[in-house]
Amino acid sequence: MLPAIWSWVRNRIDVKIHNDEDVGMSPHFNFGQGCGEFLVSLALTLLLGGYRYLLGWIPLRLTSRTAIPVWRAASCFLGLFLAWAACGSPLAAYDHSLLTAHMIGHLLLMTVAPALILLGEPVRVYWIGMPLFAQHVLRRVLRRSLPRRIARIVTSPAVCWTFSAMALLAWHLPVLFTLGMRSESWHVAEQISFFSAGLLFWWPIIQPWPSASTGPRWWMLLYLFLATLPCDLLSGFLAFSDRVAYPVYFSTPRLFGLSVLEDQQCAAALMWTCVTLIYLVPAAVLTLRLLAPRTSREHESQQSQLSGGRVPQSVPRRVEVA
């Protein structure tokens, strides 16, 4: 059954690609009016997200200067900026000419930007800036068992790891990669899936409000180690292969004197190195915390509860999400 479904989907994708080639659709970054509308919508969405964040963070900052430090707010804004840089900045213009630029956008959108945004505690800040009526409605919804059960499943480490790994490997299959290069709607779907997978991947590690820790933290070291395997598999194949994995780049202008194969190897080396280094940062932080003396950890926990861990009265004490 599954092979038959995959065969049908692949045939439909091949028909779509061939139709685009027949009408002379350029594989370059310019998709036309639809692309411009998406870039404008993206910029407005990110600006609205930053504005709503300020509406919640400023009152919280006036109430308690240690609740959400300035560096967390700056981290959230930097993450929003990098999300725009990956999709709407001049970097995205090289997306369809260089696989290296394409890979940089994926790294920003899936690995860097989601982590920075979650470090800014966006759910907690948006909750504070939300109207009281909306808070009341959401409290009633979150008290039900079904939404809590769904949220617990979606944010479980197994589901988060699986979704991020599948998104990474699926969109780098040559047939889906080519479809995303030639179709604006599929390219947008690819970017949305990367960003969503990044948010889910970092959620069990950062555990922003209102998530609650349900297991030992040393599991996250194994989680991070397993997360490197799909990246190693993909980047290793691209780096050591003597064949071009994405022939669509043969029809694009070559930039910076790189051949298609050299561009592929450079993109693979960049992905391999950056992902490993980025994942080493939370792994080192978790290791230091686990190796810290028990009394020191208890003292830090008490200090966190007395200073930054206290939730304002307008925010529910605990909403079970993860």
Side-chain angles (χ1 to χ4, degrees), residues 139-155:
R139 280 197 191 98
R140 292 177 61 90
V141 172
L142 293 174
R143 284 172 185 162
R144 301 178 180 273
S145 59
L146 182 60
R148 290 191 310 225
R149 190 178 303 114
I150 294 176
R152 192 182 303 114
I153 294 174
V154 170
T155 57

Side-chain angles (χ1 to χ4, degrees), residues 199-257:
L199 290 175
L200 283 178
F201 172 79
W202 286 108
W203 188 276
I205 300 172
I206 299 176
Q207 292 188 344
W209 186 90
S211 61
S213 180
T214 56
R217 294 295 288 167
W218 63 267
W219 271 98
M220 288 298 99
L221 297 176
L222 179 60
Y223 179 86
L224 288 167
F225 169 74
L226 294 176
T228 62
L229 299 183
C231 299
D232 293 345
L233 178 65
L234 176 61
S235 56
F237 170 76
L238 295 177
F240 298 110
S241 176
D242 56 352
R243 301 178 58 184
V244 175
Y246 309 115
V248 67
Y249 282 108
F250 282 121
S251 59
T252 61
R254 305 315 307 154
L255 302 176
F256 308 111

Side-chain angles (χ1 to χ4, degrees), residues 33-47:
Q33 182 180 1
C35 182
E37 293 177 354
F38 166 71
L39 295 180
V40 173
S41 302
L42 173 66
L44 292 177
T45 300
L46 295 178
L47 287 175

Side-chain angles (χ1 to χ4, degrees), residues 26-262:
S26 173
H28 298 178
F29 65 91
N30 186 14
F31 287 116
Q33 182 180 1
C35 182
E37 293 177 354
F38 166 71
L39 295 180
V40 173
S41 302
L42 173 66
L44 292 177
T45 300
L46 295 178
L47 287 175
L48 179 60
Y51 171 72
R52 296 297 303 176
Y53 187 92
L54 282 177
L55 289 182
W57 182 75
I58 292 177
L60 181 61
R61 182 70 176 173
L62 294 176
T63 303
S64 174
R65 298 186 62 84
T66 58
I68 296 184
V70 177
W71 72 267
R72 287 189 177 273
S75 173
C76 183
F77 283 108
L78 180 58
L80 293 175
F81 172 77
L82 292 180
W84 170 82
C87 301
S89 71
L91 173 65
Y94 295 99
D95 222 10
H96 294 68
S97 297
L98 287 173
L99 180 61
T100 302
H102 195 87
M103 200 66 71
I104 292 174
H106 288 182
L107 288 173
L108 293 178
L109 203 59
M110 192 175 186
T111 308
V112 182
L116 293 174
I117 292 174
L118 291 181
L119 282 173
E121 295 282 357
V123 180
R124 181 182 177 189
V125 175
Y126 288 151
W127 178 275
I128 296 173
M130 193 180 300
L132 295 179
F133 173 76
Q135 291 184 8
H136 177 70
V137 172
L138 285 177
R139 280 197 191 98
R140 292 177 61 90
V141 172
L142 293 174
R143 284 172 185 162
R144 301 178 180 273
S145 59
L146 182 60
R148 290 191 310 225
R149 190 178 303 114
I150 294 176
R152 192 182 303 114
I153 294 174
V154 170
T155 57
S156 64
V159 174
C160 293
W161 183 91
T162 302
F163 185 79
S164 61
M166 293 300 295
L168 175 69
L169 296 177
W171 281 111
H172 284 91
L173 292 174
V175 61
L176 290 181
F177 188 93
T178 304
L179 181 63
M181 290 279 287
R182 297 187 179 274
S183 171
E184 176 203 350
S185 57
W186 282 100
H187 189 67
V188 173
E190 177 187 16
Q191 292 174 328
I192 292 175
S193 64
F194 275 138
F195 185 69
S196 303
L199 290 175
L200 283 178
F201 172 79
W202 286 108
W203 188 276
I205 300 172
I206 299 176
Q207 292 188 344
W209 186 90
S211 61
S213 180
T214 56
R217 294 295 288 167
W218 63 267
W219 271 98
M220 288 298 99
L221 297 176
L222 179 60
Y223 179 86
L224 288 167
F225 169 74
L226 294 176
T228 62
L229 299 183
C231 299
D232 293 345
L233 178 65
L234 176 61
S235 56
F237 170 76
L238 295 177
F240 298 110
S241 176
D242 56 352
R243 301 178 58 184
V244 175
Y246 309 115
V248 67
Y249 282 108
F250 282 121
S251 59
T252 61
R254 305 315 307 154
L255 302 176
F256 308 111
L258 290 174
S259 66
V260 179
L261 186 59
E262 291 172 343

